[in-house]
Amino acid sequence: MTETQPAAPPETTIDETMDDLVDDLAFFDDWQDKYQQIIHMGRALPAFPEPWKTAEHEVHGCMARVWMKGRWQDDRLRLYATSNAIIVSGLIAMLLKVYDNRTAEEILSHPPTFIERIGMDSHFSQQRSTGLAAMKNAIFEIARQGPADGSQGMGTGSQAPGAGNREPGAEEVGRAE
Amino acid sequence: MPDTAAPLLHTSAVNDYDIEAIRRDFPILSRRVHGKPLVYLDTANSAQKPQAVIDAVSRLYAEDYANVHRGLHSLSMATTDLFEAAREKVRAFVNAASDKEIVFTRGGTASINLVANSFGRSLGPGDEVIISHLEHHSNIVPWQMLRDDRGVTLKVIPMHEDGSLDLDAYADLLTENTELVAVTHMSNALGTIVPIKEMAAQAHAVGAKMLVDGCQSIMHMPIDVQDLDCDFFVFSGHKLYGPSGIGVLYGKRDLLDAMPPYQGGGDMIKTVTFEKTVYADLPAKHEAGTPPIAQAVGLGAAIDYLTGIGMDRVAAHEADVSAYAAERLQAVPGLTLVGTAPERMAVVSFTLDCAHPHDIGTLVDLDGVAVRAGHHCAQPVMQRLDLPATVRASFGMYTSRAEIDVLARALETVRKMFA
């Protein structure tokens, strides 16, 4: 998350990425294997800097703790998030695979249908489903806010810790309030 | 994943406690979750219901139902009789001196709020209320609201690392300004049993009243409010194998008599004019509005069911399962028991070194095991122990040793998944 070069746009569309996620998990026959894969994805999630774990970036509505931060690289939203629970981190990894490095328009026109297609909505407890919804809502809210007007690339007024790590050209967006 | 497809062999180490027969009385226990037999270890959260309770509620609605205390017609009188019979069953169950001392509420939380908003109304600056570090949020927040509203001082009995209360500190906290001590009988997060009889005597010695939150203890042991000599004892119906939506406030008669009503409305009045309302006698004075009628009848059926088996025998069985659980779970590598007070039962709280409690709760669910993962509505306990959360397995009259084995094997599977 301290990349100095803006990442290239993803090679696949959001729809293709969601299809890939559904196919990846459909490969496993039973839920234990699916969860093992989700745990794997959770562990592979990039580290989230400790100074970013603030109330400002905390996503409420999840049983486990979740922190999320968005930054704009030109017109594309870079997303960083983590949880203190590994399975939730795995769910975050899936959401980031779909929505990270996309434009606001792409994000807002693509609700996370892969969750239902994988069968997670019925499998997870209501609280955890609510957590998924809260994380999705947080991403969509940041996307709705968009890059701040007239301050392209300057990140003016950001109170976020970790601002010192920020490379030029990136704009920080606190999680939706 | 352990093979739990075969039927579990439920046994009890307690002589003549027929756990198989008891389990058959609870229809939900025969269902499967994710293809595995349900292993319900979340009774501290809410207990499952025996057929007798389900039937009593169904029968009432199918055959007798009407509003209570209001009608001269047959259905209303029949329902009133059933409702008041349930009150008498509750009285006998906790050995209150009179059924006037049994107030039906909508839950344990509502019972505490009633006391805070009625008894508490007589308190003010300089008066002290003592709670403990072990409390459920329901026995913290109403007193904080009273503190903020009336200016009373709120003091907290600290807890030791093992989850027992610091009784020396309690003795020091009591002063002549202490008006009320409100403590749990049993920690919902750790299972600690609190010596409330001794604490009530100490409270009375300084002229304070004693409220006991019995939501966790009521289903695990015989309760005698006169022997405990507490002034208030509260519990909920849904943890006592009865319906949700009903709670009980036991209060000593002179106290309940002196307390003003917390809520106004129907059923709690003798006469109403625009100038003046004369309140009804106990317990109606504290039961504004249509009460939880079917829930009371269901609670009465639950008490009949428990009494038929015997609370002493239920307690002995659960003590056996609790001891077995502590021993069996400690054999799981990487597992740490949270809460090791000598006096505890029916709850085993723990963490695993490899996974967050939420991960554990999600994964053991795949094996049909229902546990709670989180702060258990007792965040100060977690803060005291510096833990974000624990996994809690909690037991009831239907919990078997075989189910503890399923949990232990499921936890061993979780360890492998995180290896």
Side-chain angles (χ1 to χ4, degrees), chain A residues 48-57 67 69 159-165:
Chain A
F48 189 85
E50 282 298 320
W52 289 2
K53 288 185 181 175
T54 62
E56 183 191 5
H57 296 132
W67 294 269
K69 181 175 164 67
Q159 300 296 314
N165 299 334

Side-chain angles (χ1 to χ4, degrees), chain B residues 103-122:
Chain B
V103 177
F104 285 132
T105 66
R106 65 178 171 78
T109 299
S111 297
I112 295 172
N113 275 275
L114 192 161
V115 176
N117 285 278
S118 173
F119 176 85
R121 215 183 285 175
S122 65

Side-chain angles (χ1 to χ4, degrees), chain B residues 255-286:
Chain B
L255 274 170
L256 290 180
D257 237 349
M259 283 160 51
Y262 158 44
Q263 293 178 318
D267 224 24
M268 52 76 75
I269 53 91
K270 271 181 185 160
T271 59
V272 176
T273 66
F274 285 112
E275 289 71 36
K276 178 177 172 59
T277 291
V278 179
Y279 300 133
D281 294 329
L282 290 179
K285 183 174 87 171
H286 295 295

Side-chain angles (χ1 to χ4, degrees), chain A residues 30-33 35-36 39 43 62-65 84-89 122-124 128, chain B residues 1 34 354 356 358-363 365-367 373-374 388 413-414 416-419:
Chain A
D30 73 41
W31 270 97
Q32 197 175 19
D33 293 333
Y35 273 106
Q36 190 79 66
I39 290 167
R43 284 180 163 161
C62 314
M63 282 176 71
R65 299 188 75 181
N84 59 351
I86 294 288
I87 291 172
V88 177
S89 291
S122 63
H123 210 264
F124 285 138
R128 208 175 286 278
Chain B
M1 182 147 308
H34 301 309
C354 60
H356 188 279
H358 292 92
D359 293 325
I360 298 165
T362 301
L363 293 174
D365 180 58
L366 297 175
D367 282 334
T413 303
V414 170
K416 286 188 196 120
M417 290 181 76
F418 279 89

